[in-house]
Amino acid sequence: MSAAVPRGAGVIGGGRMGAGIAQSFATAGAAVTVVEQDEAAAAKVRERVAGSLERAARRGLLPAPPEEILGRLAFVGDVSGLPADADLVVEAVPENAGLKARLLAAAERVVGADTVLATNTSSLSVTELSASLSRPGRFLGMHFFNPVPASALVELVVPDATERAVVDLALAWTAGLGKKDVVVRDSPGFASSRLGVALGLEAIRMVEEGVAAPEAIDDAMTLGYKHPMGPLRLTDLVGLDVRLAIAEYLHRTLGERFAPPALLREKVARGELGRSTGQGFYTWND
Ligand code: NAI
């Protein structure tokens, strides 16, 4: 698949993921319109991207000066401000199906018939989100990983209705970002979350059963299987509450093997959410 850069891209929601997605497309040369809720939120996105670009520049990773890349970003307060001729619009608002469906439908009314719409959902059904659209064939999941500019992968999540030409465009844009793709048929948890959560839940059950301490379980995976990070440390970084929400969804959709362990529920109830609260399976002092 040959690499390409969308001429114009839109990103709805400039949080942790949206800011990274906007930065990545702008770095590749695209003009990017970011939709955020108000001016204060937009200023935060610009600051976040500027800081990240400065760090990348110091490490010699940018093809152009950071100010030039930052100059490719524009900010609007509502999806009605998206450019009608955008090649691609990626939705990256919080993991709430109703909110996502509403914003995607509103964006579809603004953009042209050829624009590809994508969602960065990490767990919701892409097919169900497409129910709000009148052109489901132009829609797919583009699941980016955190931190987006440094991550090597985009998981393309493809509902049955998505046109082949749309998948080909998404493949070309992924290559244009310098990232590798995996293509997955839309199904609960896709490939990455389903396997990642399965490993994390089993590791938690092992702590629960007293099989080994968290450090030992993580060492077994990092040293024995060359995983860059153990499943329990990763759970702390992602957030135990986020993991529990995804596990509950996978439990509902895929069955008993994703039943959340009692220890996970107890820790979430105690507010031990991982790094964000200072305590999860590890104690965090940063
Ligand atoms: P976040 O909470 O950091 O960012 C969401 C942004 O959306 C916020 O800046 C918020 O102001 C904005 N927003 C909310 N309502 C809006 C509206 N009506 N119009 C415009 N902007 C609006 O969330 P995060 O972590 O960036 O996640 C976003 C999506 O990406 C979620 O679906 C999440 O599941 C998915 N995801 C998250 C990953 C992660 O590691 N955080 C990894 C992969 C996917």
Side-chain angles (χ1 to χ4, degrees):
M1 178 59 54
S2 58
V5 176
R7 264 170 307 134
V11 178
I12 310 174
R16 221 173 343 175
M17 297 304 291
I21 294 167
Q23 176 182 334
S24 299
F25 278 115
T27 301
V32 184
T33 303
V34 179
V35 183
E36 254 300 345
Q37 305 196 75
D38 51 42
E39 277 180 26
K44 255 195 356 222
V45 185
R46 182 185 284 279
E47 207 175 294
R48 191 191 283 247
V49 174
S52 174
L53 285 172
E54 286 300 336
R55 287 192 295 281
R58 279 200 294 277
R59 295 171 59 206
L61 298 176
L62 295 184
E67 320 74 64
E68 186 180 326
I69 296 172
L70 201 57
R72 295 176 190 150
L73 296 186
F75 293 90
V76 296
D78 188 85
V79 288
S80 61
L82 284 167
D85 62 352
D87 286 335
L88 169 69
V89 173
V90 184
E91 165 283 305
V93 297
E95 195 75 337
N96 172 320
L99 176 68
K100 284 178 185 292
R102 184 168 63 72
L103 289 171
L104 284 164
E108 190 189 49
R109 289 193 289 274
V110 174
V111 297
D114 287 341
T115 303
V116 172
L117 288 179
T119 175
N120 183 49
T121 180
S122 49
S123 64
L124 298 171
S125 162
V126 179
T127 306
E128 280 171 28
L129 288 175
S130 77
S132 66
L133 299 176
S134 53
R135 297 189 291 273
R138 305 299 293 173
F139 179 61
L140 83 173
M142 285 183 83
H143 181 208
F144 290 83
F145 292 79
N146 189 23
V148 181
S151 83
L153 181 68
V154 183
E155 186 174 37
L156 300 180
V157 183
V158 184
D160 291 343
T162 305
E163 294 165 15
R164 180 65 226 184
V166 166
V167 179
D168 287 343
L169 283 169
L171 286 168
W173 292 328
T174 300
L177 295 175
K179 299 187 190 301
K180 194 175 153 25
D181 59 81
V182 291
V183 180
V184 185
R185 187 166 56 82
D186 183 29
S187 58
F190 320 140
S192 56
S193 302
R194 180 163 165 175
L195 273 180
V197 170
L199 192 67
L201 294 181
E202 199 56 27
I204 296 168
R205 275 190 274 272
M206 288 163 71
V207 175
E208 205 169 55
E209 292 166 15
V211 173
E215 292 84 349
I217 293 167
D218 280 349
D219 282 351
M221 288 296 103
T222 54
L223 303 177
Y225 277 70
K226 292 196 166 52
H227 287 199
M229 188 181 289
L232 294 165
R233 188 172 292 275
L234 184 60
T235 300
D236 269 13
L237 287 185
V238 170
L240 275 65
D241 50 340
V242 175
R243 269 289 156 94
L244 177 59
I246 299 179
E248 281 173 335
Y249 173 71
L250 294 178
H251 185 205
R252 279 199 305 280
T253 49
L254 294 174
E256 271 317 296
R257 63 195 189 278
F258 284 96
L263 179 61
L264 178 60
R265 289 192 189 286
E266 286 158 20
K267 280 179 151 322
V268 170
R270 281 202 297 271
E272 295 178 15
L273 306 184
R275 186 180 181 179
S276 63
T277 61
Q279 184 64 47
F281 291 98
Y282 294 87
T283 301
W284 298 83
N285 293 314
D286 52 346

